[in-house]
Each structure stands twice: as structure tokens, then as C-alpha cells.
Amino acid sequence: MTLDSFIGNADAVKALKGMVSTGCIPHAMMLYENDGCGAIALVQAFLSTLFADEHKVGGLIHPDVHYVYPVASGSKVSEKTDNLRSELFLPYWRDLVRENPYALEQEVSSAFGIEGKQTVINNAQAREILETVFLSSVEGGYKAVVVYLPEKMNAAAANKLLKAVEEPPEKTLFLMVTHAPEKVIQTISSRCQMIRVLPNSREEIAAVLESVFGKSHEVALRVASFAGGSVGQALSGMGESEEAEAQKALFGRLMDSVTSRDLYAVMECGDAMAALSSREKQKAFCKFAGECLRKIFLIQQGLGDMAALSADESAYYSSLAGKLKKSFPRLAIGCLDRAVMLIDRNVNQKILFSEMVGRIYYNS
């Protein structure tokens, strides 16, 4: 995939094409996306165009392109924390991104065998980057370091990298992909050119599903309607129907309990959320519930067509929209966003979700 064949985010693609054609490329760029919206795919397309070698970049085998991502000791790589490096996980990263450059954060953790673990870009990885960037390029052109989720870089690693990001060797690029730019250490983010990778339209998601992943037009359009602008979410929804059904059932229980004013049942829903098997699944549920609440909000505002609902879904969400206050979706989404933040901070899950569902109940 090159920039010429990339689907979606036309403004970002135009800007990156201009950089390649003029040679005026910032030495550090940070692409901000919602999970699964295609920032890694866009980085790969940019590098394929810049290096004029789609085969090597697309296959993640170009000797002058290096990848860094947060890791932890797990079932596939067992190592002391101080020795953990991205290089140890490279075969799993390579297989995942080749197959699906729109992969979700939780799918990366699953591919690495570190589901539910607290991941980090540590000092050992910072040393690995510095050893890489100060070597001569193998093919005589640019060198690139792709950093996935720099918000998970600890302070020691950031301080070690600061000088290299600020004043890298000639023809060395840092390309960072973040889901939470506000959490990236400020001394790093302030040295980067920010590029927003926007959520995709329904038509763009369908086109990616058809052209890149070979899905039928009818299936692609149907799934795209419920993906929240994320190709990764669309693919996840197609491949994980059992988990998606469990999320729908839990959200339905929560809404039934809220609308019937049954506080005990609401608290039981909080217990069910706390009992989910990993932090990634807890965050995935919060994001799913937020998307459901967005649909309720659109119906309450008379914008139901924008929610792209099937007939059955329209009846269900319309019923909820009539029972809930118009302020409820906005306030409840705020509770869910706060829960995601606290999950990342490793707050006790039983307390976290009990408080969250309590806030949702009293805001209804």
C-alpha cells in the first residue's frame, strides 16, 4: 500500500504526499487516531512511498525501518522487565501488521501474549532506539523509527530519547502513533508535528474492507455502519461475534436496570464489568457502551438517520431514547471515559465499576 492507494483521510494523505515530493519532511511526526482508524496503515503507506519500496516496507522487512511498541513479559516472551525490548516481539508484530495494519490495541496485546498486562516502553527500548538511529542507513537514504503508543513511554525512556527526537542524525525520522496525545510526555510531544488521523466515513470503511480484506460489498456496508469510524472495530466486530453479543447483553442489562430504577441490578452490572477477564475487554466494553449512548443521543436530537441503525436496533434505541433524559447520554459517556482512564491507572476494578454504574444510575 502506498499513499496513492490509501483510502480515507484525504487531507493527511495530501500533506504527506507534499512532504515526499518536496523533501521537506519533519524529523518527528505524531499521528493521533482513535483506535483502529488506520494510523499504522498510513505510516506504512507513507514509508512505502518515501522509500519507493512497497514490498520491503509492507512486509516489515526494510532494514532502515524500525518499530517500537509497549511490551510486558507474557506467555510468548518471558524476560526480566529491565531486559524487555521490542525486538523480542518483532515476529508477532510483523505477522499481525502484515495481516491487519488496522489492528486494535487489544489485538496487539493478544498477539504478544500479554493480555491484561501493564505494558510500557522502557529504558531498554530507548537504548535500542539510540543504537539504531546513530548507525548509518543500510540503503543510503532515510532511516525511520515507528513508535506505537508513545503515551506508554516511561519518564526514564523519554529523557533518554529526548535529544535524539529533538536533533536526530541527518535523514532520520521519528513517526509516532498515539491514541491519547494528552498522555504523551510533553517534552516528546512538543517536538513533533501533529497529524490528526480522522475516523473514517461508512463508505471509506466499506471500501477498505472490500479492497484490502476482500469482504463482500453487502457485508462491508453493514459492518461499516456500526464501526464508529474505525476499520479495526469493523474487523473486530466481524471476527468476534460472541464477544460482541456479550457486550450487547451487558449493555442491555445495564440500561434495563437504569430505566427501571433498580439500583441493586445496576450494581450487579458493575460487578459483571469488573469480572471481565482483562483490562482490554473492560475498556472495549466502555467504548462499545459509549457508541451505544451516542446512538441514543442522536435519536434524542432528531438525527436518527446519522446513527445508521437497522430496523430492530432503531426500535430498541428509540425506546431507550424516550425513557432517558436528554442530558443522560453526555453524562454517562463522561462516566465511561473516566472509567477507561482509571483502568489505565490500575485502580481497583471492583471499586471503579461500582462507582461508575452508580454515577450512571444517578445521572439517569
Side-chain angles (χ1 to χ4, degrees):
M1 183 188 302
T2 65
L3 290 174
D4 286 332
S5 60
F6 191 83
I7 298 170
N9 276 280
D11 289 341
V13 169
K14 182 179 179 181
L16 291 170
K17 279 185 176 180
M19 293 176 192
V20 173
S21 63
T22 62
C24 297
I25 305 175
H27 63 267
M29 290 185 277
M30 185 172 292
L31 286 74
Y32 160 35
E33 67 160 355
N34 299 351
D35 198 4
C37 285
I40 285 290
L42 184 55
V43 165
Q44 292 292 93
F46 169 70
L47 292 175
S48 292
T49 304
L50 179 65
F51 286 97
D53 195 332
E54 186 176 355
H55 170 68
K56 288 182 182 177
V57 174
L60 283 82
I61 55 174
H62 199 290
D64 294 321
V65 181
H66 309 275
Y67 299 90
V68 179
Y69 24 78
V71 297
S73 183
S75 61
K76 295 184 179 179
V77 175
S78 180
E79 187 65 76
K80 291 182 179 179
T81 301
D82 292 344
N83 295 329
L84 282 169
R85 308 181 310 282
S86 298
E87 181 183 16
L88 299 174
F89 294 82
L90 182 58
Y92 309 113
W93 171 261
R94 189 175 279 151
D95 289 345
L96 177 66
V97 176
R98 280 173 178 165
E99 182 180 343
N100 178 16
Y102 296 84
L104 301 173
E105 186 176 335
Q106 69 184 67
E107 292 171 334
V108 176
S109 293
S110 179
F112 289 175
I114 53 176
E115 304 96 319
K117 299 290 185 73
Q118 196 74 23
T119 58
V120 67
I121 296 175
N122 61 18
N123 225 355
Q125 290 168 284
R127 286 196 302 272
E128 188 176 49
I129 294 171
L130 291 176
E131 290 168 2
T132 296
V133 299
F134 288 104
L135 294 174
S136 299
S137 122
V138 174
E139 298 196 351
Y142 282 97
K143 301 190 300 292
V145 178
V146 180
V147 182
Y148 178 67
L149 304 185
E151 59 267 32
K152 297 197 175 183
M153 188 182 299
N154 65 27
N159 289 333
K160 190 178 285 289
L161 287 178
L162 181 58
K163 187 66 175 176
V165 173
E166 188 174 27
E167 296 178 11
E170 186 178 2
K171 286 197 169 183
T172 298
L173 305 177
F174 283 91
L175 300 165
M176 305 193 187
V177 171
T178 177
H179 299 157
E182 72 282 358
K183 295 180 182 178
V184 180
I185 294 174
Q186 200 270 337
T187 51
I188 295 293
S189 61
S190 63
R191 272 115 178 131
C192 298
Q193 172 71 52
M194 299 295 292
I195 297 177
R196 177 68 166 117
V197 179
L198 294 168
N200 299 277
S201 69
R202 175 175 178 253
E203 291 72 22
E204 288 168 345
I205 292 175
V208 172
L209 294 178
E210 289 180 61
S211 63
V212 179
F213 298 98
K215 307 300 181 184
S216 71
H217 181 68
E218 295 74 17
V219 169
L221 277 177
R222 187 181 73 251
V223 174
S225 299
F226 314 110
S230 168
V231 175
Q233 292 287 359
L235 289 166
S236 178
M238 295 174 74
E240 298 177 5
S241 56
E242 186 175 330
E243 185 172 333
E245 288 301 318
Q247 288 178 337
K248 290 177 186 176
L250 182 52
F251 178 77
R253 280 175 54 198
L254 178 61
M255 289 298 99
D256 289 344
S257 303
V258 165
T259 54
S260 62
R261 308 303 296 166
D262 185 341
L263 180 57
Y264 182 79
V266 168
M267 300 308 291
E268 284 188 326
C269 290
D271 291 342
M273 295 170 202
L276 292 173
S277 59
S278 70
R279 292 186 184 92
E280 286 73 23
K281 288 186 178 181
Q282 290 168 344
K283 291 194 288 186
F285 172 76
C286 290
K287 291 175 183 177
F288 170 80
E291 181 62 22
C292 293
L293 290 164
R294 184 188 71 85
K295 295 171 184 175
I296 294 170
F297 173 80
L298 289 171
I299 291 171
Q300 288 178 332
Q301 304 305 312
L303 301 171
D305 289 345
M306 292 179 63
L309 300 171
S310 67
D312 290 342
E313 287 179 318
S314 181
Y316 174 68
Y317 287 112
S318 295
S319 174
L320 285 177
K323 296 174 183 177
L324 296 165
K325 294 187 294 188
K326 287 192 175 182
S327 60
F328 174 77
R330 176 178 56 83
L331 294 171
I333 287 172
C335 296
L336 292 164
D337 288 343
R338 184 172 182 273
V340 170
M341 176 192 71
L342 294 175
I343 292 169
D344 285 335
R345 294 184 180 182
N346 207 24
V347 172
N348 180 282
Q349 294 163 2
K350 177 83 170 177
I351 296 172
L352 186 163
F353 283 106
S354 293
E355 182 198 33
M356 186 197 80
V357 296
R359 286 173 179 266
I360 289 175
Y361 174 82
Y362 287 111
N363 283 324
S364 65

